[in-house]
Structures are given as C-alpha cells and as structure tokens.
Amino acid sequence: MRVLLVCLGNICRSPTAEAALHEAAEQARLDLEIDSAGTGDWHVGDPPDERMRAAAAAVGLTLSGTARQIAAEDFDRFDLVLVMDRANYADVCALAPDEESKAKVALFRSFDPDADGEDVPDPYYGGDEGFPRVVEIVRAGARGVVAHLQSLEEEQESRPRS
Ligand code: 4NP
C-alpha cells in the first residue's frame, strides 16, 4: 500500500503526518510506503518548519525530507491520497486526471473515530500552541488510517480467490 499525505506547504502538517503514519504502521507491523507533498510551491526544497520539528521531536517523531509539490503522476504512484483539510481536498481533486484518481482522495481525519473536526488546522500563521496540537491530531489520525488499512487487508485475505 502506498500512501501520499498532502497539505498546503508540505513543511508543517503533512511531514508530521508522514512521521506519525510511519510510527503507527511500524507499531502495527503494517507494510506501508509513505510520502508527502504540498498543493503549493512556495516551500519546494525547504526542510520541515523548525517550530513543527520541535513539537514533533517532543514526542519522539523526527521529521525528514524536503518539500515538494503534488503532481498528476502521484495518482499513478499512490493508492491513497490523504489530505489535511478541505481546501487541500478541493485542490487535489481538481488535479486528479480521472474519476479513479479522485476516488483515492480522502480527508486524513476521516479515519479517526474520535476526531472533533474534519480538518487538521493549519498552524503556519497561528501561535506556538498550534504545533503540538497538530502533532496530537495527526498521531490520532495515523492510528485511524492504520486501523482502516488493516481492516482492508483482512477483508482481502478473507475473500475467496478467483
Ligand atoms: P502546511 O503549513 O500546509 O501544514 O505545510 C503551511 C506552510 C506554509 C504556508 C502555509 C501553510 N505558506 O503560506 O507559506
């Protein structure tokens, strides 16, 4: 299973979701290929935001990689494209080349049964308290995504082979 995580800048939320999904998949022994991208191009080539890295490091998550912009080819490479908020959802769907691609797009938090909202709030222009909040939200979201993928796997295993 290949999962792409998408936010606006690819320097705050999606790199953190990427690290959290690695953590959750490892704990569940689920084999996932994970990457992240942004809908915008302002930060292409930049490392994750320093404030975001500090908040992630406080719970043992290391953010890595440099920002890149999502491209139409990503719909061929990935099975699932999980977006951080509804604006990302609209932007990513507009980029999807066909209906099959569009069907791969979902809100990241939609897999968290305890989520108190649909969006992972954008911390970039907010106060410092926004960053630990993102970490908390994406860790819970990542556990939900892993649970969803595990149930898909179990479903496939129980299906008679044709
Ligand atoms: P992200 O946060 O989408 O979580 O990476 C942002 C980073 C940069 C900008 C906006 C959001 N920006 O406008 O530059």
Side-chain angles (χ1 to χ4, degrees):
M1 230 353 179
R2 286 164 302 211
V3 182
L4 181 66
L5 300 158
V6 181
C7 64
L8 180 58
N10 193 209
I11 55 168
C12 294
R13 293 167 293 173
S14 59
T16 312
E18 189 182 339
L21 192 54
H22 270 297
E23 176 188 58
E26 212 163 273
Q27 281 167 2
R29 297 178 198 282
L30 183 69
D31 189 21
L32 287 188
E33 192 180 315
I34 309 163
D35 193 14
S36 67
T39 57
D41 66 357
W42 311 282
H43 293 281
V44 168
D46 290 352
D49 185 283
E50 204 174 303
R51 299 162 296 174
M52 197 68 255
R53 272 187 284 161
V59 298
L61 291 178
T62 304
L63 307 191
S64 58
T66 51
R68 72 170 181 94
Q69 190 175 25
I70 186 174
E73 299 78 59
D74 283 313
F75 290 102
D76 298 328
R77 276 184 56 206
F78 293 93
D79 304 299
L80 205 51
V81 180
L82 302 180
V83 297
M84 297 298 123
D85 65 29
R86 284 164 288 180
N88 305 149
Y89 186 84
D91 291 340
V92 170
C93 284
L95 195 68
D98 49 37
E99 287 305 312
E100 194 190 331
S101 302
K102 211 182 259 187
K104 295 180 175 181
V105 188
L107 280 165
F108 180 78
R109 291 193 86 184
S110 65
F111 299 100
D112 177 0
D114 301 318
D116 61 359
E118 292 183 85
D119 299 337
V120 181
D122 185 347
Y124 192 69
Y125 291 112
D128 281 347
E129 69 287 351
F131 294 91
R133 175 87 183 116
V134 166
V135 174
E136 205 178 292
I137 289 173
V138 300
R139 276 182 125 190
R143 288 193 292 271
V145 170
V146 164
H148 168 71
L149 295 178
Q150 278 182 314
S151 67
L152 280 186
E153 228 173 47
E154 279 160 25
E155 205 176 286
Q156 273 171 3
E157 277 162 15
S158 64
R159 205 176 291 155
R161 293 183 201 284
S162 54

